[in-house]
Amino acid sequence: MEKRKMVNDEENRLKQERNSNNSGISPDNIKSKKAENYSKEKINERKTRSRERISRTEFNLRFKAYFKSRLFRDYGYIIFAAFLGMASYDYFIASTTSNGITPSGIGAIARGIAIGIWPEKNELQIQTSMYWVFYFVFNVPLFIFGVIKVGIRFSFRTIVYIALQNGFHFTFAYIPVINPQELFFIVNYSSLNFFTNYGGMYQIWLFVFAAVAGILNGIAYGLVYKGGASTAGTDFVFAYYSAKKKISIANYNRIVNYIIIVAMLAIHTTLLSRSEITSIYFGKDWAAHIDQIKELGFKIDEGGLIGGDIATHKIKYFFGPALFASYLFVVVQTIAIDIIFPKFKYRSLMVITSKGDAIVSGLQYVHYPNDIVRIPARDHYEGNDINNEVIIVSTSVLEYKKIKAAIVVSDPDAKILSYKLDKIIANYKVDKY
């Protein structure tokens, strides 16, 4: 009898442990778990879901502290990006002279105007300097748009980026030996002048310069986005509508850049004088080879090409290396940006938390625009089953830092799993559900 009683007691004890949880540990054992594994506060925090919401005042204080702790890193990105952007234009784009590479966006317009006023090779330094001045001035209305529509912090950092680019240019432009007029990383492009090679400007060097400039500019753009700023220009508009419409507009961004390049190149081609179009194809000393050019079958006098040869060579110029090298610059730049910071791509965040209500409040405070999926879950953590929630949200990379900050500030102990998304297929409206 005594032996049977002991067996029954053991069976009842095991049955009780199995019913308590899957780990074989009774609730009493969980409560009495030693301090070296969990602090009392940690057990209570992770043990069950909390319905506490974070106040707006507390959230704002934590939010500012979060970004303040990353301030030096962000501005480090912006400073280095400004230097790379300056080097890309001064040493590789501007150095291809007035008939070389056309950058994208507002930069194409600024370069076009600078070239129109100072087209000669001996004016390259002032042409480059005035490009940066025009680029800053043309962005002033867009700075105002950014402050109103996008946000003061984003806009201020962008202004800092553009100002630093101007500062780097005017610093390096007048330093002996390392200024763009004396230091050539690949080749002195402006010195290329081969009369025997018909179409002297049409060298492989133009495409090499475009590729290198695209890589440097792409890295600069990626870093400036990581620093919580933009490259100004049309970026302000695209950033605003990407967030407002909740769609990726990378394709529209590229199309607009291509259209601007074509328009500026068309204007530049139209304004080319007889002498300029002749020097593009027959070298800057073409006047010394007029008889040889005539023997090749071209109509020319002391002022340059004449008659139909002017129109023919302008068409060749427009559809020539200057156009395709500019497109190569944009393509390489886009690839480099997408590797470092694919700003128009989307990410899905799966958050494991015990403070779901607090996170939802934080997302609402930063005006998170999409739906928030909340799934009750049991988190098995070091032998314990803990009541948690899984929250799923989606955001563009452009807004990723803000959304991530809102989650971390609302629950510093939350686990965030980030996934890349190809696209979001949805037309979400509350009234449909």
Side-chain angles (χ1 to χ4, degrees):
M1 291 294 292
E2 184 177 353
K3 185 176 181 180
R4 182 177 297 178
K5 182 179 180 182
M6 291 176 62
V7 171
N8 290 337
D9 290 341
E10 181 66 16
E11 287 178 349
N12 290 334
R13 185 181 66 81
L14 292 173
K15 184 177 180 180
Q16 183 180 1
E17 288 180 350
R18 284 195 299 269
N19 292 337
S20 63
N21 54 60
N22 294 330
S23 64
I25 301 174
S26 67
D28 292 334
N29 287 334
I30 293 176
K31 292 179 182 179
S32 62
K33 197 167 181 66
K34 293 184 179 180
E36 59 263 29
N37 293 329
Y38 294 98
S39 66
K40 185 176 180 180
E41 292 79 6
K42 195 71 177 178
I43 295 171
N44 292 336
E45 183 179 349
R46 294 185 56 88
K47 188 175 178 181
T48 186
R49 292 189 293 272
S50 171
R51 296 302 181 186
E52 293 181 3
R53 289 182 176 270
I54 186 170
S55 69
R56 183 181 290 273
T57 301
E58 184 180 1
F59 177 84
N60 289 338
L61 290 174
R62 292 187 189 179
F63 199 69
K64 290 179 181 179
Y66 177 88
F67 281 105
K68 188 176 180 180
S69 66
R70 289 154 176 77
L71 190 65
F72 290 107
R73 184 193 63 183
D74 290 348
Y75 275 98
Y77 286 144
I78 292 171
I79 292 170
F80 188 49
F83 172 77
L84 290 180
M86 177 280 299
S88 172
Y89 184 84
D90 285 15
Y91 290 92
F92 296 98
I93 296 178
S95 61
T96 60
T97 70
S98 301
N99 305 308
I101 302 165
T102 300
S104 57
I106 297 294
I109 300 173
R111 177 164 166 77
I113 295 176
I115 287 173
I117 301 174
W118 299 279
E120 302 299 328
K121 288 184 178 180
N122 58 7
E123 299 174 317
L124 186 59
Q125 184 173 2
I126 187 172
Q127 177 197 115
T128 306
S129 295
M130 292 309 298
Y131 160 83
W132 289 109
V133 173
F134 291 147
Y135 188 68
F136 186 88
V137 171
F138 293 159
N139 273 297
V140 170
L142 294 171
F143 288 150
I144 298 172
F145 174 87
V147 170
I148 297 173
K149 295 292 187 179
V150 182
I152 183 66
R153 185 177 64 87
F154 182 81
S155 303
F156 176 77
R157 293 188 179 191
T158 301
I159 295 171
V160 170
Y161 169 73
I162 300 299
L164 284 171
Q165 282 188 318
N166 275 263
F168 280 128
H169 164 75
F170 285 104
T171 299
F172 278 77
Y174 299 99
I175 297 178
V177 181
I178 65 172
N179 65 74
Q181 284 70 47
E182 297 182 54
L183 179 62
F184 310 105
F185 284 101
I186 300 178
V187 67
N188 183 359
Y189 188 89
S190 63
S191 69
L192 296 177
N193 180 46
F194 304 107
F195 169 72
T196 56
N197 179 9
Y198 172 61
M201 76 152 285
Y202 295 160
Q203 306 296 319
I204 191 64
W205 293 115
L206 188 64
F207 292 91
V208 173
F209 274 62
V212 175
I215 292 172
L216 291 177
N217 223 43
I219 295 173
Y221 281 22
L223 290 177
V224 81
Y225 297 139
K226 279 182 172 290
S230 78
T231 57
T234 54
D235 248 10
F236 275 124
V237 180
F238 286 126
Y240 171 69
Y241 281 103
S242 178
K244 184 177 178 64
K245 300 297 183 181
K246 294 181 284 185
I247 58 173
S248 172
I249 53 177
N251 290 332
Y252 299 109
N253 191 15
R254 283 192 288 269
I255 290 170
V256 168
N257 286 330
Y258 291 150
I259 291 173
I260 292 175
I261 288 174
V262 169
M264 296 310 301
L265 188 59
I267 294 171
H268 174 65
T269 304
T270 303
L271 296 177
L272 285 173
S273 66
R274 291 171 56 200
S275 177
E276 288 172 334
I277 194 67
T278 305
S279 66
I280 290 172
Y281 283 89
F282 299 100
K284 58 187 177 184
D285 58 347
W286 62 268
H289 304 278
I290 290 180
D291 292 337
Q292 292 172 268
I293 296 173
K294 286 181 178 179
E295 289 176 2
L296 295 173
F298 299 106
K299 298 177 182 178
I300 190 172
D301 61 18
E302 290 75 8
L305 292 169
I306 58 177
D309 283 341
I310 298 176
T312 300
H313 282 78
K314 283 191 174 184
I315 292 173
K316 287 182 179 180
Y317 172 74
F318 178 77
F319 290 104
L323 175 64
F324 292 105
S326 299
Y327 274 12
L328 176 64
F329 167 77
V330 175
V331 170
V332 172
Q333 172 186 271
T334 302
I335 293 172
I337 293 171
D338 283 342
I339 292 173
I340 298 175
F341 192 89
K343 61 176 181 174
F344 292 123
K345 297 294 179 65
Y346 269 79
R347 286 187 178 180
S348 176
L349 302 180
M350 186 171 73
V351 185
I352 302 172
T353 178
S354 61
K355 299 181 180 179
D357 287 357
I359 289 179
V360 170
S361 296
L363 292 171
Q364 291 172 344
Y365 292 150
V366 296
H367 305 291
Y368 171 73
N370 300 329
D371 53 310
I372 302 172
V373 179
R374 302 180 65 175
I375 305 172
R378 299 201 69 180
D379 185 3
H380 192 77
Y381 186 78
E382 292 192 6
N384 297 308
D385 286 330
I386 304 162
N387 292 321
N388 274 334
E389 269 188 281
V390 173
I391 294 179
I392 302 175
V393 296
S394 59
T395 176
S396 69
V397 178
L398 194 63
E399 293 186 296
Y400 176 77
K401 289 181 67 174
K402 180 177 70 174
I403 302 303
K404 175 188 170 185
I407 295 171
V408 172
V409 164
S410 302
D411 181 8
D413 295 317
K415 296 178 183 177
I416 303 176
L417 306 179
S418 177
Y419 302 92
K420 294 180 181 179
L421 297 178
D422 291 331
K423 64 176 67 175
I424 293 180
I425 304 174
N427 183 18
Y428 181 79
K429 290 185 179 179
V430 175
D431 58 11
K432 288 186 176 182
Y433 294 87

